Amino acid sequence: MQTFQSLLAKRLSDALPRAGLPEAGELTQATDPRFGDYQTNVALVLGKQRGENPRALAEKIVAHLDVSDFSEPPAVAGAGFINFTLQPAALEKQTLDILRDERLGVAETESPRRIVIDFGSPNVAKPMHVGHIRSTVLGDALARVGKFLGHEVIRDNHLGDWGTQFGMVIWGWKNLLDRQALQRNPLAEIVRVYKETHELASRDPKVREACRQELVKLQAGDKENTDIWNECVALSMQDFERVYRLLDVRYDLQCGESFYHDRLPGVVDRLLKAGIAEISEGAAVVFFHDDSALADKPLIVRKRDGGFNYATTDLATVDYRFNELKADTIWYVVGAPQTLHFKQIFAIARREGYTTDLRHIVFGSVLGEDRRLMKTRSGENVPLRELLDEACRRAREIIDEKNPGLSEEEKNNIAEKIGIGAVKYADLSQFRTTDYIFSWDKMLSLHGNTAPYLQNAYVRIRSIFRKAGDVAPKIDKLVLSEPAEIDLAKRVCEFAEIVPQVLNGFRPNVLANYLFELANSFHAFYEACPVLRSEEPARSSRLMLSDLSARVLQRGLDLLGIKVPERM
Ligand code: ARG
């Protein structure tokens, strides 16, 4: 099934050579519905390129353009835009086709790629905090969209499960551990031990040295230290898994930093042999002399004491994903503070000849209502699990008020969908690089651009169906006559055009905002067009249009990792 947008684009590129003109400009959804449904700026772009009158060019293009089977005659407007308005009959047919399509009109990509998505990636022995939420939620949504579009997606959790913090964790474990506290809340106790050791080490060089010794022993494979390390990783993982279960996020691979440990000497040897790294003051260093942005930012890949670092691991990771996972592209969903790090890694990977397409997908910060980085009252990072629990608790209050008659189990179930959905949507509906303010009241509001608003639109449609006896009428023709009906059908048809756009620039907010518009269109339709009380054939037709709206809402939210309840 073709979208109107791709159909128009095709007809336009057929017409241009007939008009003696080259391909140019864009065909997009109309920015203002008063002028139609789609528009192209091709004549404006060509006019500028060729120094010709754009309106005259537009007329010429229109004269060679044949879209009469689905569009009203194209109109030339303004400085030279060409506008298209769909014919109701074409819209009726397209909507019916979508109604019968599992995929709701969304085509699979013609060029599937193997995509490794590196997202979430929390650090062991440190709790996941609110800062990890953007990476996790964004990475998960991109993975869902990529998969739906027919790409092969490998979700990889690059856990921080190795590194200098373990010297402190192990020393603290041996000297400060409270076994009972560990039983009660393992991760909290590991974090306490780590923090206290960190404190001590910063004041006492003897402790610092002892921690270093523990790290050396761990790296040399000492049995006791390896056991402690294993236990810390396992306990942290349990905590992460709880969060992933709540968020409904899963991974195909969890190749943390430790996975690459054995490969690091090889990475550095390779770089030295290729002349990409050199020995400088005892360390192995990569200089970027011919890259103006990085010229004064050399990267150490092996320290003077022989130790490797975060960057060395990431170089080994690129190699693994390229040579063993055969990734066509790797997407790193990691916060903006690591921009320099990835610039350096990508530059080295290019020099080494890796042809995989490497992308750093940055995102802004989550701010508290005071517009500063979100912290607890005592100035700590907000632990993610507590935050998610609070989301569910607050959502539960809303359900208690809105629908007190539901069973306890049902209430909790719905509260989880709403609470988690609200947190995810607050994040995904924002442009990813902007900071956003975390506001419970805003994200849980039943009005406005929020998950509960969209979930409520879905629930309303489902309740229409329950009233209609839960049977979908079989129809072979859709009738669209009221403006609100036509508008809603157009929105539904747009879904197939919107979904692929999410991957251009990695913008789930495009999909989120589309769903918001769709819900608005549905509400306008519902106000203007009675469904159950209208006569046939309008009744069945409207029922099916409602059903289709619900399906698009459900599928769209699912692509964002958000679930819909059947009632709320
Ligand atoms: N563990 C890191 C952190 O919490 C993120 C890892 C991102 N991925 C990577 N391949 N470096 O900051």
Side-chain angles (χ1 to χ4, degrees):
M1 196 186 316
Q2 240 183 345
T3 62
F4 286 123
Q5 191 176 18
S6 60
L7 193 57
L8 277 168
K10 171 83 177 57
R11 296 291 175 85
L12 189 63
S13 53
D14 291 346
L16 287 167
R18 286 203 294 267
L21 294 167
E23 198 89 39
E26 281 183 315
L27 190 124
T28 57
Q29 285 146 5
T31 40
D32 183 336
R34 278 177 304 171
F35 301 130
D37 301 316
Y38 295 89
Q39 65 185 39
T40 174
N41 62 352
V42 57
L44 294 163
V45 174
L46 287 175
K48 202 165 206 175
Q49 276 174 12
R50 305 159 73 95
E52 292 177 38
N53 178 336
R55 279 194 73 102
L57 280 170
E59 298 292 354
K60 190 162 155 193
I61 295 166
V62 166
H64 289 88
L65 189 62
D66 181 13
V67 290
S68 57
D69 48 334
F70 63 96
S71 164
E72 308 292 353
V76 175
F81 278 105
I82 305 172
N83 294 329
F84 304 90
T85 302
L86 300 171
Q87 289 169 12
L91 193 61
E92 285 171 357
K93 177 166 181 316
Q94 179 84 353
T95 311
L96 193 64
D97 287 346
I98 293 176
L99 193 66
R100 292 173 173 161
D101 181 17
E102 270 288 294
R103 299 181 52 85
L104 299 164
V106 183
E108 295 208 26
T109 174
E110 281 161 14
S111 40
R113 298 203 287 171
R114 182 173 293 181
I115 307 170
V116 171
I117 310 189
D118 177 325
F119 70 103
S121 309
N123 300 319
V124 164
K126 299 180 187 167
M128 262 204 265
H129 56 77
V130 54
H132 287 108
I133 199 158
R134 292 206 85 173
S135 172
T136 308
V137 166
L138 196 57
D140 179 57
L142 293 174
R144 286 168 186 262
V145 173
K147 181 139 195 289
F148 184 55
L149 290 174
H151 295 287
E152 194 184 332
V153 175
I154 302 175
R155 305 149 152 264
D156 190 4
N157 198 2
H158 191 74
L159 297 161
D161 60 356
W162 196 250
T164 42
Q165 81 254 39
F166 280 101
M168 295 193 190
V169 173
I170 292 173
W171 186 89
W173 185 283
K174 291 179 179 175
N175 294 284
L176 307 171
L177 192 69
D178 172 347
R179 288 268 162 196
Q180 269 169 2
L182 188 73
Q183 288 231 314
R184 276 197 307 274
N185 187 346
L187 189 60
E189 176 60 8
I190 296 175
V191 172
R192 182 194 68 84
V193 160
Y194 170 67
K195 278 197 189 143
E196 252 168 60
T197 310
H198 195 276
E199 249 314 291
L200 289 173
S202 67
R203 279 184 275 119
D204 184 347
K206 274 210 258 18
V207 176
R208 203 152 56 232
E209 177 53 24
C211 291
R212 214 182 59 77
Q213 289 302 330
E214 297 295 1
L215 186 66
V216 170
K217 273 165 75 184
L218 173 69
Q219 289 175 338
D222 172 81
K223 167 95 172 61
E224 186 189 7
N225 284 12
T226 306
D227 288 347
I228 296 175
W229 171 75
N230 270 322
E231 196 167 348
C232 287
V233 173
L235 291 172
S236 294
M237 284 308 292
Q238 279 173 18
D239 197 74
F240 299 160
E241 295 294 346
R242 286 240 273 290
V243 170
Y244 295 142
R245 227 176 298 130
L246 206 51
L247 288 175
D248 189 27
V249 165
R250 47 160 213 91
Y251 286 99
D252 301 301
L253 292 177
Q254 308 220 46
C255 292
E257 293 177 24
S258 66
F259 176 83
Y260 299 97
H261 182 227
D262 297 341
R263 301 172 184 240
L264 304 185
V267 170
V268 177
D269 287 346
R270 206 172 63 217
L271 291 173
L272 287 169
K273 224 175 261 148
I276 295 171
E278 58 196 77
I279 301 296
S280 169
E281 296 173 36
V285 184
V286 178
F287 291 94
F288 305 90
H289 297 299
D290 46 4
D291 184 330
S292 59
L294 297 175
D296 57 344
K297 304 266 183 322
L299 180 71
I300 296 178
V301 291
R302 191 180 64 208
K303 293 182 279 187
R304 274 170 72 175
D305 65 6
F308 303 102
N309 52 29
Y310 184 56
T312 327
T313 306
D314 257 323
L315 291 168
T317 309
V318 172
D319 180 73
Y320 176 74
R321 291 172 178 166
F322 180 71
N323 280 320
E324 296 185 41
L325 300 180
K326 311 273 183 232
D328 297 313
T329 178
I330 309 174
W331 299 352
Y332 296 86
V333 189
V334 185
Q338 295 193 31
T339 300
L340 172 63
H341 167 76
F342 284 110
K343 276 208 178 109
Q344 292 170 321
I345 298 297
F346 295 178
I348 295 174
R350 272 195 302 277
R351 277 200 221 169
E352 285 209 87
Y354 294 106
T355 51
T356 183
D357 176 19
L358 302 168
R359 303 296 184 99
H360 179 200
I361 302 173
V362 297
F363 49 82
S365 313
V366 183
L367 307 179
E369 308 241 23
D370 58 357
R371 299 186 157 266
R372 305 234 193 139
L373 279 184
M374 194 168 165
K375 296 274 153 132
T376 60
R377 237 175 251 144
S378 55
E380 310 260 317
N381 281 321
V382 180
L384 193 49
R385 232 181 73 204
E386 281 173 29
L387 186 105
L388 297 177
D389 288 343
E390 175 157 8
C392 298
R393 199 178 50 65
R394 287 177 182 252
R396 174 64 206 253
E397 284 169 15
I398 296 174
I399 321 279
D400 279 334
E401 196 163 310
K402 202 168 174 298
N403 207 339
L406 295 172
S407 76
E408 196 62 14
E409 193 193 336
E410 214 171 351
K411 278 184 186 167
N412 285 335
N413 198 310
I414 298 170
E416 193 172 306
K417 289 181 176 152
I418 294 179
I420 301 296
V423 171
K424 287 188 176 185
Y425 191 85
D427 201 297
L428 294 170
S429 57
Q430 298 294 320
F431 184 58
R432 88 181 135 74
T433 56
T434 43
D435 298 346
Y436 74 91
I437 294 175
F438 192 95
S439 156
W440 288 120
D441 290 343
K442 232 159 113 193
M443 73 177 70
L444 283 165
S445 166
L446 286 163
H447 309 282
N449 191 4
T450 65
Y453 172 71
L454 297 180
Q455 288 165 323
N456 203 30
Y458 175 84
V459 164
R460 270 177 89 173
I461 303 175
R462 298 305 307 156
S463 82
I464 300 174
F465 263 79
R466 274 195 297 275
K467 276 188 216 139
D470 259 331
V471 278
K474 282 256 172 299
I475 57 168
D476 44 43
K477 188 166 167 26
L478 215 60
V479 278
L480 302 172
S481 52
E482 294 297 317
E485 226 166 16
I486 292 174
D487 175 65
L488 181 58
K490 282 178 183 169
R491 287 263 182 248
V492 165
C493 292
E494 260 172 28
F495 183 60
E497 297 165 0
I498 293 290
V499 176
Q501 285 179 28
V502 171
L503 299 190
N504 302 339
F506 311 108
R507 295 173 302 162
N509 63 315
V510 170
L511 175 57
N513 292 320
Y514 160 79
L515 294 173
F516 177 55
E517 299 291 343
L518 174 68
N520 288 337
S521 292
F522 178 77
H523 285 305
F525 156 82
Y526 197 60
E527 301 270 289
C529 307
V531 177
L532 297 179
R533 281 177 289 110
S534 60
E535 299 293 320
E536 292 296 354
R539 185 179 188 274
S540 290
S541 190
R542 286 177 183 171
L543 254 176
M544 291 319 286
L545 189 56
S546 304
D547 179 51
L548 188 53
S549 307
R551 280 168 59 203
V552 173
L553 276 172
Q554 177 176 35
R555 176 54 69 93
L557 286 170
D558 178 67
L559 291 176
L560 298 177
I562 296 169
K563 297 189 176 128
V564 285
E566 289 302 305
R567 49 184 99 225
M568 65 190 261

